[in-house]
Amino acid sequence: MRCYPPLTLIHLLSLVCAHESFVLSSRFAGVATLRRSGVDDCHQTECITCQTLLSAFQFEQWHKLCEDVDKVMESLVSPAPESFHVLHSLISKINDDVDCFDENSPAGSCTNDLKALSSFLIKPNYTIVLYLDSDLVKWKTEHGCINSYNNIHEGQIELYHKHNTLELSRMALDLAAKNLNDPEISLKVHHLSRQAEKRLTLTMGSDSRGPTASDACFNFALAGLQHYYGLFRTLTLVGIHELRRTGHRASFKPKKILHLVEKFAACDIRGQHAIDLYHAAGKCLETKGYEDAGLIESLKDGTYGFHSSGPLIWLWRFSSRQKKLSTADAISNSKGKRNIDWVEIFHNPSKPVVVDLGSGMGASLLNLSALPSNYGANVNSDGGGLHMAWSDLNYIGADLNQSFVNFGNGIVSRDSRRIGRVRYLCHPAETLLSELQFYTGGTALIMINFPSPYRLRETGSGNSQLPSMSANQFMATKEILGLISRLLSKSEDNIGDNFFLFQTKCEDVAVMVFNECLALGTMEYVKCKNPMKDIDLQYKNSKRPKRVDEWLTSAPLAERAEGAMYSSKPFLPRAGRAETEVQCIHENIVVHRFLFRRKRFI
């Protein structure tokens, strides 16, 4: 170790910008949760001095590197003890590697780390001062602007020095959304996630207030981040601390608590930390008198999760804002891709597969694949529902939007139950169906859930992003339905009954696709136990879409989506709903659904 004269000034950092106060996640930091005994888990008591919060040993460690702890506390943002702990941890790290300093210039990494922390943990017009005393690097703060140390090693400045975790997550999401054809996009997103991990290691979550950690977690999930379970776990722990620290405050409204817990759940967080987060949120909502007792109970008993309505609504909101892609776009994006290797995709390609064409964010397959074999009511093939050995099936989804595909595969990568059983591909429906002709396990269920409806009018006003029927752009074409029928016929001998499920918000689309299926002559509809008896009555009790009126104006004698062939109840288990179906329930929109199977010839 190099010798320095006592009290040699080796570095001054002067920061005069005002910032919102941030707080350390003490669980993540590995220290005791800072609260008085007897206080409810939702509450975090802040005390004036660190002596009431810390053990004698911890306080002694602080005084080894800071001679006047109480004076320094006055210059730190609230809660000061936690701000102190974050800065103290970095100073301790500097002492572990004090040889990296010379008398005039410390190593750039430590300098930049300290500058990053000082930007939001030190109050305006205060300066942090480092000095040597008996071979220890000590620190203090001084009021007023002192000349800052400017000879920083710019080459050692990394993104995490300049951007907080939320900003890094937004960069990752923006990068993933705008560069879908970049073959190195995954590596670039992973680089940003690594920067976020460094930031969290440095700040211990002290710059993630309120629902910020949940926003960052959601952004990284939407960016399609693969694996990185540790990053999601750390962000969840920061969220837990925020609930316990501020969840009882009047300023932390129930809406903000729901925002936090729903976005974490939309990332499909798992494990004890997820249970702890949900339980803390449930207790906070209960304390605030939130009226939804069922939601509170599901949070407290651990049954809340990715399948719940709130998280799926967030996924729907994101997907609804994305540009609709055409089949031509997907074909262009998939050029050069080799044929599907089913042995590579599935651990056991002899199992029957559930297929979702236009899978969107992938919620339906993700949730179905996580169900136990005995989930739901035992419903026979006469209709009224679908009962399958969900845990014994494989799952494949196809969508034209690469970012949706990346999100689904990212969720799969962090769950051992789904790895080797669930996969999403950026392929047109026709491509996937053609490849499934060579799948040896057979198809148990093929779904088209809420496809973008075709335009009612080819010219004039309307949504120009909707597919054109005349240009054969609508997903459920005669060719697609023919391929589905052939797959069902090919598979039935191996697995018994198998089905084609169609769901849509548009009545005219349901009637058209239903009649196209009948016209094939190779499939028959399944009579429903809960038929749609009077569609106009259903509209009176819910939102009547403008499209229905436009359709009936142009075709007043049109066949309606009612009778034994259309179900008023979902076919899929409640925990296997698509995100758009949840949105329809949330906004009281009628869903038109029917089920077909291979025609049984006598």
Side-chain angles (χ1 to χ4, degrees):
M1 180 179 294
R2 298 180 186 178
C3 296
Y4 293 93
L7 300 178
T8 298
L9 186 65
I10 63 170
H11 189 213
L12 296 174
L13 278 175
S14 167
L15 295 133
V16 291
C17 18
H19 290 272
E20 182 183 358
S21 59
F22 292 86
V23 63
L24 158 72
S25 170
S26 54
R27 281 197 166 194
F28 172 48
V31 299
T33 303
L34 304 181
R35 63 174 185 270
R36 290 194 184 102
S37 60
V39 180
D40 190 276
D41 282 348
C42 283
H43 296 252
Q44 179 78 23
T45 303
E46 297 175 9
C47 301
I48 297 174
T49 62
C50 58
Q51 286 96 326
T52 62
L53 291 165
L54 299 163
S55 66
F57 173 78
Q58 181 67 68
F59 194 58
E60 180 183 353
Q61 297 304 306
W62 281 11
H63 268 287
K64 281 185 178 180
L65 302 180
C66 180
E67 295 179 349
D68 194 342
V69 172
D70 284 334
K71 182 178 180 181
V72 169
M73 290 281 187
E74 296 174 1
S75 64
L76 304 182
V77 300
S78 177
E82 297 187 3
S83 298
F84 190 102
H85 180 80
V86 177
L87 289 163
H88 170 81
S89 297
L90 180 58
I91 305 302
S92 297
K93 177 183 175 183
I94 291 173
N95 275 281
D96 291 340
D97 194 21
V98 74
D99 284 338
C100 70
F101 288 79
D102 62 36
E103 186 167 359
N104 298 309
S105 173
S109 176
C110 292
T111 300
N112 295 325
D113 285 353
L114 192 57
K115 184 175 182 180
L117 289 180
S118 300
S119 67
F120 66 91
L121 294 180
I122 304 290
K123 289 181 179 179
N125 298 318
Y126 278 90
T127 299
I128 185 169
V129 178
L130 273 65
Y131 59 96
L132 277 176
D133 183 4
S134 302
D135 290 336
L136 283 177
V137 177
K138 294 186 177 181
W139 68 294
K140 61 182 179 179
T141 56
E142 293 184 359
H143 190 271
C145 298
I146 306 177
N147 292 330
S148 61
Y149 186 84
N150 293 315
N151 186 25
I152 293 176
H153 298 251
E154 293 293 336
Q156 294 184 9
I157 295 179
E158 298 187 53
L159 286 173
Y160 79 90
H161 290 123
K162 299 183 290 184
H163 300 281
N164 62 37
T165 306
L166 180 60
E167 291 169 344
L168 290 168
S169 72
R170 287 171 176 165
M171 292 165 64
L173 179 56
D174 187 60
L175 188 66
K178 293 182 179 179
N179 299 274
L180 297 179
N181 295 324
D182 186 347
E184 296 184 353
I185 189 63
S186 178
L187 293 175
K188 294 176 180 178
V189 170
H190 277 229
H191 171 70
L192 287 168
S193 67
R194 180 60 185 142
Q195 291 291 305
E197 286 186 325
K198 289 184 177 182
R199 178 77 181 191
L200 287 167
T201 299
L202 174 66
T203 66
M204 301 181 184
S206 56
D207 59 349
S208 297
R209 295 295 297 270
T212 300
S214 67
D215 291 337
C217 195
F218 191 51
N219 288 341
F220 276 121
L222 291 175
L225 182 62
Q226 302 270 329
H227 310 295
Y228 273 81
Y229 175 81
L231 174 60
F232 289 91
R233 180 179 182 274
T234 299
L235 288 169
T236 304
L237 292 175
V238 175
I240 292 170
H241 179 72
E242 279 301 292
L243 284 173
R244 290 173 170 168
R245 187 184 70 87
T246 62
H248 66 289
R249 296 178 182 175
S251 59
F252 211 115
K253 304 291 186 183
K255 183 177 180 180
K256 187 181 290 188
I257 295 172
L258 291 172
H259 171 140
L260 182 149
V261 76
E262 288 169 355
K263 282 197 168 181
F264 273 124
C267 305
D268 198 30
I269 58 169
R270 295 192 166 273
Q272 187 59 47
H273 57 286
I275 295 173
D276 291 345
L277 176 85
Y278 298 148
H279 189 266
K283 293 196 73 174
C284 288
L285 290 172
E286 187 175 48
T287 301
K288 292 177 179 293
Y290 191 66
E291 294 181 353
D292 192 339
L295 172 63
I296 292 174
E297 188 61 28
S298 69
L299 286 166
K300 292 172 64 177
D301 66 17
T303 57
Y304 190 86
F306 182 78
H307 61 277
S308 302
S309 297
L312 297 183
I313 290 294
W314 280 106
L315 295 182
W316 176 83
R317 288 172 183 152
F318 174 79
S319 65
S320 66
R321 294 195 300 266
Q322 307 310 304
K323 178 183 176 182
K324 297 184 185 300
L325 301 178
S326 67
T327 301
D329 293 328
I331 292 174
S332 174
N333 292 344
S334 61
K335 281 183 178 178
K337 293 182 180 178
R338 55 189 174 85
N339 294 339
I340 299 174
D341 184 350
W342 296 112
V343 175
E344 179 185 344
I345 286 179
F346 295 127
H347 289 166
N348 185 356
S350 66
K351 290 183 176 182
V353 66
V354 175
V355 183
D356 192 356
L357 303 175
S359 51
M361 302 299 291
S364 184
L365 293 188
L366 288 170
N367 283 320
L368 288 173
S369 64
L371 294 176
S373 297
N374 60 351
Y375 181 90
N378 186 4
V379 181
N380 61 34
S381 60
D382 289 334
L386 286 171
H387 177 68
M388 296 184 176
W390 302 108
S391 63
D392 294 329
L393 300 173
N394 290 331
Y395 298 82
I396 188 80
D399 200 274
L400 304 182
N401 192 312
Q402 184 68 58
S403 64
F404 296 172
V405 169
N406 292 344
F407 170 81
N409 287 331
I411 296 291
V412 172
S413 73
R414 295 185 291 277
D415 185 355
S416 59
R417 300 170 306 166
R418 297 181 176 119
I419 294 173
R421 293 180 54 233
V422 187
R423 180 67 67 86
Y424 296 91
L425 302 172
C426 189
H427 284 312
E430 185 174 2
T431 301
L432 178 59
L433 292 173
S434 298
E435 290 289 328
L436 281 166
Q437 303 292 331
F438 306 100
Y439 182 74
T440 58
T443 52
L445 173 65
I446 301 176
M447 303 185 292
I448 297 181
N449 291 313
F450 306 95
S452 298
Y454 50 79
R455 302 174 202 165
L456 273 177
R457 296 188 303 272
E458 293 295 328
T459 59
S461 61
N463 188 346
S464 61
Q465 290 193 52
L466 293 180
S468 166
M469 281 292 286
S470 61
N472 211 32
Q473 294 175 345
F474 179 58
M475 180 190 293
T477 62
K478 293 179 180 179
E479 292 75 17
I480 293 295
L481 297 174
L483 285 170
I484 290 173
S485 177
R486 286 196 288 275
L487 280 172
L488 295 182
S489 299
K490 178 176 180 289
S491 304
E492 190 173 15
D493 292 338
N494 297 333
I495 62 176
D497 268 349
N498 49 8
F499 302 95
F500 167 54
L501 170 63
F502 185 86
Q503 299 189 98
T504 178
K505 294 189 282 187
C506 304
E507 186 182 358
D508 62 294
V509 172
V511 172
M512 188 277 291
V513 175
F514 181 88
N515 286 323
E516 290 289 357
C517 290
L518 280 182
L520 290 172
T522 56
M523 293 193 294
E524 62 183 10
Y525 68 85
V526 177
K527 290 184 179 180
C528 304
K529 285 191 172 182
N530 300 286
M532 184 71 74
K533 295 180 179 179
D534 187 338
I535 188 62
D536 285 319
L537 181 60
Q538 287 291 322
Y539 286 140
K540 287 182 180 179
N541 297 325
S542 60
K543 291 184 179 179
R544 182 183 178 94
K546 292 181 180 179
R547 182 181 175 108
V548 172
D549 295 326
E550 294 177 14
W551 170 52
L552 293 178
T553 299
S554 61
L557 300 179
E559 177 185 338
R560 305 301 299 277
E562 58 189 11
M565 59 284 284
Y566 296 97
S567 180
S568 62
K569 302 288 185 181
F571 287 108
L572 293 174
R574 187 179 186 279
R577 302 168 297 173
E579 62 271 13
T580 305
E581 184 175 2
V582 175
Q583 178 262 338
C584 289
I585 296 171
H586 181 70
E587 298 189 10
N588 198 24
I589 297 172
V590 174
V591 174
H592 310 278
R593 52 176 77 86
F594 57 78
L595 197 65
F596 270 78
R597 64 187 171 198
R598 178 188 177 188
K599 192 170 186 178
R600 296 172 176 177
F601 296 96
I602 300 176

